């Protein structure tokens, strides 16, 4: 291999890692609280807000079901407004983050919903507040599923990038 080809491969690898790392962090920062809210905001849940849950659920489903290339084209004006351009590695972070956040949210929601309801009831019986239940019961119990989901999200981001 020529030195020029090795340099190009190294540069492209660094660009990919940059895009995936930044968009993964942004997607996780947006998807984790969104997923927690979706899991705990239905009627009768810790933070009951069924109307908002329904609206956010529709928005998440619509974004997740949109093919990535269509999402990229559809948000070109937003990408230009944020990044100043619609091409390049920095500009690619915006659609990658928007694609990652709802994916991560659904994974977090599923992981949280898998937590045994008896643990939540026990925490309530001991007088835990809803925020304490989320931080001290739901998140620790759902952590293995969340980590697995974040791994899947990073792999998907690699494919998208």
């Amino acid at each position: 291999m020529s030195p020029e080809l090795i340099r190009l491969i190294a540069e492209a690898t660094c660009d990919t890692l940059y895009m995936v790392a930044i968009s993964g962090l942004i997607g996780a920062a947006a998807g984790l609280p969104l997923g927690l809210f979706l899991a705990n905001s239905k009627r009768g849940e810790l933070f009951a807000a069924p109307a908002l849950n329904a609206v956010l659920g529709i928005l998440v489903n619509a974004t997740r079901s949109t093919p990535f290339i269509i999402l990229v084209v559809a948000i070109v004006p937003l990408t230009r407004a944020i990044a100043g351009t619609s091409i390049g590695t920095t500009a690619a972070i915006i659609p990658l983050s928007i694609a990652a956040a709802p994916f991560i949210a659904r994974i977090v929601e599923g992981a949280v919903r898998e937590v045994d309801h008896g643990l939540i009831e026990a925490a309530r019986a001991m007088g835990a507040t809803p925020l304490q239940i989320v931080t001290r019961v739901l998140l620790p119990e759902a952590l293995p599923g969340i980590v697995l989901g974040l791994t899947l999200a990073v792999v998907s981001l690699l494919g998208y990038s």
Side-chain angles (χ1 to χ4, degrees):
M1 277 210 267
S2 71
E4 179 65 19
L5 182 59
I6 292 171
R7 186 190 64 74
L8 287 172
I9 291 171
E11 186 179 316
T13 302
C14 288
D15 287 346
T16 300
L17 293 175
Y18 165 71
M19 289 185 297
V20 169
I22 300 299
S23 60
L25 288 172
I26 293 169
L32 181 64
L34 180 58
L36 285 170
F37 182 78
L38 287 170
N40 293 298
S41 61
K42 288 188 176 180
R43 191 175 318 279
E45 296 282 345
L46 294 172
F47 303 103
L52 183 57
N53 182 290
V55 170
L56 287 175
I58 290 169
L59 186 64
V60 165
N61 288 338
T63 306
R64 280 190 59 222
S65 63
T66 304
F68 182 69
I69 192 69
I70 293 172
L71 180 68
V72 169
V73 172
I75 64 166
V76 164
L78 177 66
T79 303
R80 276 196 188 125
I82 294 172
T85 182
S86 60
I87 57 171
T89 55
T90 302
I93 290 172
I94 287 94
L96 285 170
S97 300
I98 290 172
F103 182 76
I104 292 169
R106 283 295 183 209
I107 288 170
V108 169
E109 180 186 13
V112 169
R113 288 197 181 280
E114 290 293 317
V115 174
D116 184 18
H117 197 68
L119 292 172
I120 298 167
E121 291 304 317
R124 278 186 176 159
M126 290 188 286
T129 65
L131 187 59
Q132 288 174 327
I133 292 171
V134 168
T135 58
R136 296 186 182 165
V137 177
L138 291 177
L139 279 176
E141 288 293 321
L143 193 59
I146 292 171
V147 170
L148 176 65
L150 290 175
T151 304
L152 290 171
V154 169
V155 170
S156 292
L157 287 172
L158 276 170
Y160 290 157
S161 69

